[in-house]
Amino acid sequence: MHKITLRGRDYRSKQPIEITAHQGVISHIHPIAEEKNLLFIAPGLVDLQVNGFGGVDFNTYPFAEESVEQVTRAMWQQGVTTFLPTVITNDGHEIELMVATLARACQQFPAVEQSVAGIHLEGPFLSSQEGPRGAHALAHITAPDWVLFQQWQKAAQGRVRLITLSPEWPQADDFIRQCVADNIVVSIGHTAASAVQIASAVEAGARMSTHLGNGAHLTLPRHPNYIWEQLAQDDLWCAMIADGEHLPLSVLKVFIRAKNGRAMLVSDVTSHAGMPPGCYHSHIGGEVVLSAEGRLSMANNPALLAGSVQGLLHGVNTLVKNAIVPLAEAIDMASTRPALSLNLPVQQGLAVGAPLDAIMLRSGEGNTLQLVATYKQGAEVWRGE
């Protein structure tokens, strides 16, 4: 791979810098003289929850290996250089087929292999209760089963890197310990677990909360409840959807303050992202409605969301334009922090010795950021007009 040099403003210090990379790895970073119209340089975004995009659904089988590459290139256009395709609750055989397809796509397409850091399995070991279960099909909800999971992991060629489960099942703690031993990150989500069950899961090795505040009862006890309990667990990373629909701004602010450096963003983006408003049939939620404002909800219960249609940069902009956190922290929440939570190589961000996964951003109207270009392992993979 050829040498590449990028010039822009460091997203943290706002100072003009030049970054040089050889063979896709950053070799030098040094300050330069002030120039006009310099763009911001930031780490590529890392999305741990991508259900699909632009009509491609990782949860409706069959889908082609080529369509995984299509989503990968769509992610680059969103500034996402690393992501986890997410497979949710389904029939066990269907899950096996879907993770196998994702694994083959990684083998067949270098772009996919470079950008897909693993598979996120969200279910089927979730709460069966209405509310916490969200849009997951009750018929396929089941207790954690290590033998069953190993079948899926074998089909995935060992690529399942993150699993979301509810610790309310009696088998949960043993299952979590087996995941930890196999270097699989366990996230608590779609749960109605008690405070004791949550604490026990964390002691067993659970390390994350999946889209905290969503996949929950519409009404909760004042205290205790499973949202407070997860916020209080210092060892849990807190993933949030900051699309302006899933969580009110005040809740985002409180979650971020409570979790401090362990607060991060995911998109939970679905196949309906990039599609026109209207009614759709989806594995996630069945009949769903996409509004002109970008809200995706279940047709028979509009109060329940069925995933998101907004990319990760939209979440960054939600935090920045509403002055919830400074620009640098918002970008970290969507890049280096998710990478750190899964111990990915890109956790270093813009540092000598790190892979050059980077994005160039322009300040737009309303204090928002506009994507100009995306770089993956030192190569420009997308540039806007």
Side-chain angles (χ1 to χ4, degrees):
M1 189 176 292
H2 62 279
K3 172 184 171 181
I4 186 170
T5 299
L6 302 180
R7 298 165 73 88
R9 293 190 184 279
D10 181 270
Y11 77 108
R12 288 181 176 279
S13 67
K14 313 296 191 298
Q15 297 303 308
I17 59 169
E18 182 174 274
I19 299 176
T20 304
H22 292 85
Q23 304 298 320
V25 176
I26 298 173
S27 55
H28 295 93
I29 302 176
H30 58 266
I32 58 173
E34 185 66 54
E35 297 179 13
K36 287 185 178 180
N37 302 319
L38 282 175
L39 301 171
F40 285 114
I41 305 179
L45 305 184
V46 178
D47 197 341
L48 305 185
Q49 199 161 1
V50 175
N51 302 283
F53 198 93
V56 176
D57 190 352
F58 296 145
N59 290 284
T60 301
Y61 190 82
F63 57 88
E65 289 84 353
E66 290 81 3
S67 66
V68 185
E69 186 191 32
Q70 177 184 329
V71 172
T72 299
R73 296 187 181 279
M75 289 295 101
W76 291 345
Q77 294 180 36
Q78 303 284 317
V80 174
T81 52
T82 301
F83 72 102
L84 266 58
T86 300
V87 173
I88 75 160
T89 303
N90 209 324
D91 170 79
H93 183 57
E94 294 273 291
I95 290 176
E96 185 173 333
L97 293 171
M98 289 184 287
V99 297
T101 302
L102 291 168
R104 287 195 302 272
C106 291
Q107 287 181 312
Q108 294 178 22
F109 298 101
V112 179
E113 178 70 25
Q114 290 174 2
S115 295
V116 170
I119 296 169
H120 178 180
L121 185 61
E122 186 189 355
F125 312 137
L126 308 176
S127 177
S128 60
Q129 292 190 29
E130 188 77 18
R133 193 180 73 253
H136 292 247
L138 176 61
H140 301 309
I141 297 292
T142 188
D145 184 329
W146 184 250
V147 173
L148 180 60
F149 172 73
Q150 286 296 95
Q151 293 177 14
W152 298 332
Q153 184 70 303
K154 182 178 179 181
Q157 300 174 23
R159 295 178 187 269
V160 176
R161 190 74 177 268
L162 173 65
I163 183 166
T164 294
L165 57 75
S166 172
E168 65 199 77
W169 297 94
Q171 306 91 328
D173 287 357
D174 285 342
F175 185 90
I176 292 168
R177 281 188 280 267
Q178 288 171 306
C179 286
V180 171
D182 270 15
N183 199 32
I184 299 161
V185 176
V186 176
S187 187
I188 297 172
H190 291 280
T191 186
S194 68
V196 171
Q197 289 168 331
I198 290 170
S200 184
V202 173
E203 186 177 350
R207 286 296 174 265
M208 194 181 298
S209 296
T210 294
H211 53 50
L212 190 64
N214 300 114
H217 292 98
L218 295 179
T219 303
L220 283 173
R222 179 179 55 183
H223 46 69
N225 65 57
Y226 45 77
I227 293 177
W228 283 117
E229 296 303 328
Q230 289 177 77
L231 284 172
Q233 288 289 341
D234 293 335
D235 288 335
L236 289 180
W237 289 86
C238 176
M240 298 165 289
I241 305 169
D243 61 358
E245 292 289 344
H246 280 75
L247 295 172
L249 299 179
S250 59
V251 173
L252 282 169
K253 182 182 289 188
V254 170
F255 282 11
I256 291 167
R257 288 180 178 178
K259 280 301 181 180
N260 224 339
R262 286 183 178 260
M264 62 185 182
L265 302 184
V266 292
S267 73
D268 198 20
V269 74
T270 65
S271 63
H272 308 296
M275 305 293 281
C279 298
Y280 293 91
H281 181 80
S282 170
H283 176 73
I284 306 172
E287 301 303 317
V288 299
V289 177
L290 174 58
S291 73
E293 295 74 31
R295 187 179 194 273
L296 187 68
S297 60
M298 297 173 69
N300 63 353
N301 190 349
L304 292 180
L305 295 164
S308 174
V309 294
Q310 304 288 0
L312 204 52
L313 185 59
H314 180 88
V316 171
N317 277 327
T318 298
L319 299 183
V320 174
K321 72 183 180 183
N322 291 290
I324 294 175
V325 297
L327 179 146
E329 184 175 357
I331 291 174
D332 285 345
M333 287 175 63
S335 59
T336 54
R337 288 188 190 175
L340 179 59
S341 74
L342 255 64
N343 195 29
L344 303 177
V346 291
Q347 66 184 272
Q348 301 172 69
L350 302 179
V352 172
L356 179 58
D357 284 14
I359 51 177
M360 305 291 285
L361 300 161
R362 175 187 295 117
S363 292
E365 294 181 9
N367 202 28
T368 58
L369 300 166
Q370 298 174 348
L371 184 67
V372 175
T374 303
Y375 297 84
K376 180 66 187 178
Q377 294 185 4
E380 184 178 282
V381 292
W382 181 81
R383 178 169 287 273
E385 294 180 2

